[in-house]
């Protein structure tokens, strides 16, 4: 039995969006389970001294857009470099993903839909109605999931995921951790594939 891959990310990450489908295919190909670990990225950034995107040097902001466009082309995914709802609060969507995992529902489809909502569909992932609609479209009990997402239990897991990311020395999202080895960034998926093939 393979060790599960820990998937540290947040629903607002453009690089999580660009890598999500490729990562899902990779895990399926290698018969690897995924442990979804949405985190509070702002807390990780604060520990690392990383500035929010719009406070970074202009040269870094400009190069970020170049890289996003390159990877969107490579992954053959639509991408709006300047989405209407960025930044947005990803906590509801992140916590819905945690609930889905707790209930035994694979979160992959919802995660894919919520990531695309921001980066391809000009939708506000902080909007409860959007989260409700996406969950309902998957024949899930949206009312139950959203209510549970607001519980102290799920908030505790969300915080614990963030603490774990900090304690593991992770540098950002997405990070895929396999056998205690971190692979930071969707551009490291080929290296993760090599590790899984060993």
């Amino acid at each position: 039995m393979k060790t599960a891959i820990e998937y540290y990310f947040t629903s607002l990450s453009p690089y999580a969006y660009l890598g999500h489908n490729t990562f899902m295919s990779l895990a399926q190909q290698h018969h690897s389970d995924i442990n979804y670990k949405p985190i509070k990225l702002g807390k990780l950034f604060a520990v690392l001294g990383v500035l929010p995107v719009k406070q970074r040097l202009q040269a870094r902001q400009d190069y970020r857009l170049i890289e996003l466009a390159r990877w969107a082309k490579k992954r053959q995914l639509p991408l709006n470099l300047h989405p209407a709802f960025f930044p947005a609060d990803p906590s509801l969507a992140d916590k819905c993903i945690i609930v889905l995992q707790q209930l035994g529902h694979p979160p992959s489809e919802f995660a894919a839909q919520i990531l695309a909502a921001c980066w391809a569909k000009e939708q506000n992932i902080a909007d409860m109605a959007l989260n409700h609609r996406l969950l309902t479209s998957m024949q899930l009990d949206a009312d139950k999931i959203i209510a549970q997402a607001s519980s102290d239990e799920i908030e505790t897991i969300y915080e614990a995921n963030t603490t774990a990311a900090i304690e593991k020395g992770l540098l950002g999202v997405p990070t895929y951790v396999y056998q205690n080895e971190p692979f930071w960034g969707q551009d490291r998926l080929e290296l993760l594939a090599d590790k899984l093939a060993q």
Side-chain angles (χ1 to χ4, degrees):
M1 188 74 178
K2 278 185 176 286
T3 305
I5 305 166
E6 295 180 335
Y7 182 21
Y8 289 89
F9 70 107
T10 179
S11 300
L12 194 63
S13 166
Y15 287 110
Y17 164 64
L18 291 170
H20 185 77
N21 294 338
T22 300
F23 174 51
M24 293 299 119
S25 297
L26 182 62
Q28 183 177 30
Q29 177 187 344
H30 290 277
H31 309 287
S32 296
D33 291 333
I34 299 169
N35 190 357
Y36 291 77
K37 299 271 195 177
I39 70 167
K40 297 182 177 183
L41 186 59
K43 282 198 169 186
L44 179 62
F45 276 1
V47 170
L48 297 170
V50 176
L51 293 173
V53 171
K54 294 184 178 180
Q55 295 178 30
R56 296 173 192 170
L57 291 173
Q58 190 61 48
R60 294 187 68 86
Q61 293 187 48
D62 293 345
Y63 190 73
R64 172 180 172 274
L65 297 179
I66 292 170
E67 281 283 271
L68 287 173
R70 285 172 176 161
W71 279 104
K73 182 177 180 180
K74 184 172 180 63
R75 300 292 189 207
Q76 298 183 321
L77 288 170
L79 177 72
N80 186 344
L81 291 174
H82 302 283
F85 299 99
F86 179 85
D89 182 358
S91 59
L92 174 59
D94 284 350
K95 290 196 279 189
C96 283
I97 289 168
I98 294 170
V99 172
L100 289 173
Q101 180 160 258
Q102 292 294 103
L103 294 175
H105 295 296
S108 57
E109 182 182 348
F110 177 75
Q113 291 288 337
I114 206 73
L115 287 162
C118 175
W119 294 101
K121 299 180 180 178
E122 296 286 46
Q123 295 171 330
N124 183 2
I125 68 169
D127 183 10
M128 185 180 295
L130 171 64
N131 284 266
H132 193 285
R133 187 165 65 251
L134 292 177
L135 291 164
T136 301
S137 73
M138 297 164 56
Q139 282 72 57
L140 295 169
D141 187 341
D143 289 333
K144 175 183 176 180
I145 292 165
I146 288 174
Q148 193 168 339
S150 302
S151 70
D152 290 342
E153 175 195 1
I154 299 304
E155 175 64 21
T156 298
I157 295 171
Y158 198 24
E159 285 282 0
N161 290 347
T162 306
T163 299
I166 293 167
E167 290 177 347
K168 288 176 184 288
L170 304 190
L171 297 173
V173 296
T175 296
Y176 319 94
V177 179
Y178 181 64
Q179 296 181 342
N180 295 317
E181 185 176 342
F183 297 82
W184 174 35
Q186 63 87 34
D187 53 340
R188 303 299 192 275
L189 283 170
E190 288 82 357
L191 299 177
L192 175 59
D194 292 342
K195 179 73 173 180
L196 290 169
Q198 288 177 4

